Amino acid sequence: MKRYILIGTLMVLITGASYTAHAEMSGDHAHKAKTSHSEYWASMNKTLSLSDTQKEQIKSIIKAEKQKNSPLMKRLAENSRELRKVMLAGTFDESKIRPLAENQGRIKADLIVSRAKVRSQILAVLTPEQREKAEKMKPFMGRHRKAIPDFRRN
């Protein structure tokens, strides 16, 4: 029994430590994320040969959704901090962790729906040929991978 408690405690500590390490990443993270986004959009513009009108429409779509999602992103960050705090507490309390985890899931679900909506709106701006090329591009993967066109499916 003590062994299971020890293993459970270690798992919680390791998970909490990974959350903490992620939260304490250098300020350079924001610059890297911005660079990745810039590289993705530059690649998209070049690959799809977007017109100036299309570029403005896409920027407008993204800007509107970003403003709409700003409160969600703040709630996600606040909830993540609270979840980390509870997970790093000395004792395991499922009654505190579960509601925070469920809330985290709801917020992420809202953001996923938003991302799908933006994608749909952007695809509606593109010509059929551009949509075909866009479907062949690797999806944007955030800070972990660079998004580059994938022409292997030709």
Side-chain angles (χ1 to χ4, degrees):
M1 180 71 170
K2 287 182 181 180
R3 181 176 178 205
Y4 291 115
I5 293 172
L6 178 63
I7 291 172
T9 302
L10 286 174
M11 289 176 64
V12 169
L13 288 174
I14 290 170
T15 303
S18 68
Y19 275 110
T20 303
H22 177 70
E24 294 176 354
M25 291 177 78
S26 69
D28 193 41
H29 167 70
H31 173 71
K32 288 179 184 175
K34 186 176 181 180
T35 302
S36 294
H37 285 280
S38 299
E39 290 172 358
Y40 177 75
W41 292 114
S43 173
M44 189 170 112
N45 286 335
K46 183 178 178 182
T47 302
L48 301 180
S49 303
L50 297 173
S51 70
D52 290 338
T53 304
Q54 288 174 315
K55 288 177 191 177
E56 288 304 314
Q57 288 174 317
I58 291 171
K59 283 180 186 178
S60 175
I61 290 167
I62 292 170
K63 183 178 179 182
E65 202 64 20
K66 188 174 183 179
Q67 289 173 343
K68 182 181 152 222
N69 287 336
S70 181
L72 278 177
M73 296 301 289
K74 287 179 184 174
R75 281 182 33 217
L76 184 67
E78 290 167 6
N79 195 71
S80 293
R81 279 191 294 276
E82 188 62 29
L83 186 57
R84 258 190 313 280
K85 191 186 318 178
V86 171
M87 289 177 66
L88 292 174
T91 58
F92 171 76
D93 188 349
E94 184 173 347
S95 67
K96 289 182 181 178
I97 294 173
R98 184 165 299 280
L100 290 168
E102 289 171 351
N103 191 33
Q104 194 84 344
R106 282 190 294 275
I107 296 168
K108 286 184 178 185
D110 289 344
L111 290 169
I112 290 169
V113 169
S114 173
R115 183 179 296 157
K117 177 182 166 188
V118 167
R119 184 177 186 280
S120 174
Q121 290 173 337
I122 289 173
L123 287 176
V125 169
L126 303 178
T127 66
E129 295 80 22
Q130 289 171 324
R131 278 194 293 275
E132 188 177 315
K133 286 180 184 179
E135 292 298 328
K136 293 178 183 177
M137 291 181 74
K138 287 184 180 179
F140 180 68
M141 299 300 289
R143 68 183 183 278
H144 299 294
R145 298 182 193 151
K146 289 183 181 176
I148 54 173
D150 183 4
F151 297 107
R152 291 177 290 188
R153 290 188 256 169
N154 283 346

